[in-house]
Amino acid sequence: MIKELLKERILIIDGAMGTQLQAKAKEIPHSAWEGKEGCNELLNQTAPDIIRSIHEAYAKADADIIKTNTFGAMPWVLEEYDLASEAYDLTKRGCQLVKEVCEEYSTPDKPRFCACSLGPGTKLPSLGHIDYDKMYEGYAQCVKGAKDGGADIFLLETCQDPLQIKAAIHACQDIAPQIPIMVSVTIEQTGTMLIGTDATTIATILEPFDILSLGFNCGTGPDMIERHLQTLSQVWDRPISIHANAGLPQNRGGYTYYPMGPKEFTELEAKLTRYP
């Protein structure tokens, strides 16, 4: 269904999870962290009502695609909290929470889609932090959880390494080939991904793969990402996604702050729709 809808109109993806949790910090019981502060994915189990309320707010704001709270659910991230064995369960529960919201807010004219968010985590194979097979196996655990949790899409976001992307894509296609894959890379201020790959190169690398879309997220604001979007639109023949930051992130008193207000951000994002 999503492939057909993309032929008819632009689909809107929701916003960030981290900043929403930051705003709700006082509502999250200290006990929910179980001594593992910083592991947002744990809240899928210990504070599901909080997580669901964030997803629901995005649904009420008319998002077509709602991302799960599973960005760091891979074992090599969770092992930092002694939770590596929970990768499957946290991913499954994260998808179930979004799926519940999607089912509640979907209508025949406006279906909602659950996108299982999977990031690169804290280790990259091209930099020797983790080997390819271990990364593949970790993604496979998450993919199984997402499949069983009802995910409609895999969103591989904030990607920084072609090898990391390939490991994730292969895990998705081997375990749940029926679920479409979106790939979203992060372009730094230098104009490339973390290990030096630019927009044209990543499009060439991913051209042989059967993926739903390629695009950009995080890193910079919509004003700075436009030139990379223009480049990608000239070399990529499938849908393009973009969900940029509200400007370059800043640290204010230990909290992440984004300088763009809603009006400026919306106006800049709207300009990006002119690229095919």
Side-chain angles (χ1 to χ4, degrees):
M1 178 185 290
I2 191 169
K3 292 182 180 180
E4 295 305 314
L5 279 176
L6 282 171
K7 296 176 183 178
E8 301 173 5
R9 62 183 176 90
I10 293 172
L11 299 183
I12 306 299
I13 197 165
D14 68 359
M17 173 60 67
T19 49
Q20 295 302 305
L21 286 174
Q22 184 174 295
K24 289 179 175 288
K26 293 181 180 179
E27 299 177 38
I28 303 172
H30 185 70
S31 59
W33 293 108
E34 296 183 349
K36 305 180 188 299
E37 285 78 0
C39 184
N40 292 343
E41 293 73 20
L42 179 62
L43 301 179
N44 292 338
Q45 292 179 345
T46 60
D49 291 345
I50 295 290
I51 301 301
R52 192 184 193 283
S53 72
I54 294 171
H55 297 320
E56 190 169 34
Y58 282 130
K60 289 178 178 178
D62 243 11
D64 298 294
I65 299 171
I66 302 176
K67 304 189 303 292
T68 58
N69 178 38
T70 55
F71 180 78
M74 298 78 67
W76 62 90
V77 179
L78 294 178
E79 68 185 3
E80 298 175 13
Y81 303 95
D82 296 321
L83 291 170
S85 62
E86 298 295 311
Y88 169 88
D89 289 330
L90 290 175
T91 307
K92 179 181 178 181
R93 184 55 182 147
C95 290
Q96 288 174 330
L97 289 169
V98 172
K99 194 67 175 180
E100 291 167 7
V101 171
C102 288
E103 291 176 348
E104 180 178 346
Y105 285 86
S106 287
T107 67
D109 294 331
K110 190 174 179 65
R112 311 302 180 99
F113 300 95
C114 168
C116 177
S117 167
L118 294 174
T122 51
K123 299 178 181 180
L124 298 177
S126 289
L127 297 181
H129 300 151
I130 184 173
D131 66 53
Y132 182 92
D133 290 344
K134 183 175 181 181
M135 178 166 271
Y136 170 90
E137 291 167 3
Y139 275 126
Q141 293 180 44
C142 294
V143 170
K144 290 174 184 176
K147 178 182 177 182
D148 293 345
D152 300 304
I153 306 164
F154 290 117
L155 174 59
L156 311 179
E157 61 174 336
T158 321
C159 296
Q160 300 168 341
D161 178 354
L163 280 181
Q164 168 250 322
I165 297 171
K166 287 183 178 183
I169 289 177
H170 284 141
C172 293
Q173 293 180 335
D174 289 348
I175 294 164
Q178 75 280 13
I179 300 177
I181 303 167
M182 298 174 64
V183 176
S184 184
V185 306
T186 292
I187 299 292
E188 308 290 340
Q189 286 183 272
T190 57
T192 68
M193 295 164 62
L194 186 63
I195 66 165
T197 310
D198 63 16
T200 300
T201 304
I202 195 61
T204 302
I205 291 171
L206 295 181
E207 192 278 332
F209 290 89
D210 181 17
I211 60 176
L212 176 67
S213 67
L214 176 61
F216 307 107
N217 78 288
C218 203
T220 59
D223 52 341
M224 300 179 70
I225 206 68
E226 183 174 2
R227 65 188 178 95
H228 306 300
L229 180 61
Q230 183 178 20
T231 298
L232 184 61
S233 71
Q234 295 170 350
V235 298
W236 185 254
D237 62 355
R238 280 164 271 176
I240 292 174
S241 70
I242 181 165
H243 43 296
N245 285 339
L248 288 172
Q250 303 171 7
N251 187 308
R252 293 194 177 182
Y255 292 94
T256 302
Y257 172 81
Y258 295 89
M260 282 187 187
K263 186 176 185 296
E264 181 184 9
F265 181 78
T266 301
E267 290 174 349
L268 289 170
E269 283 277 298
K271 291 180 180 179
L272 304 180
T273 61
R274 66 174 177 262
Y275 296 101

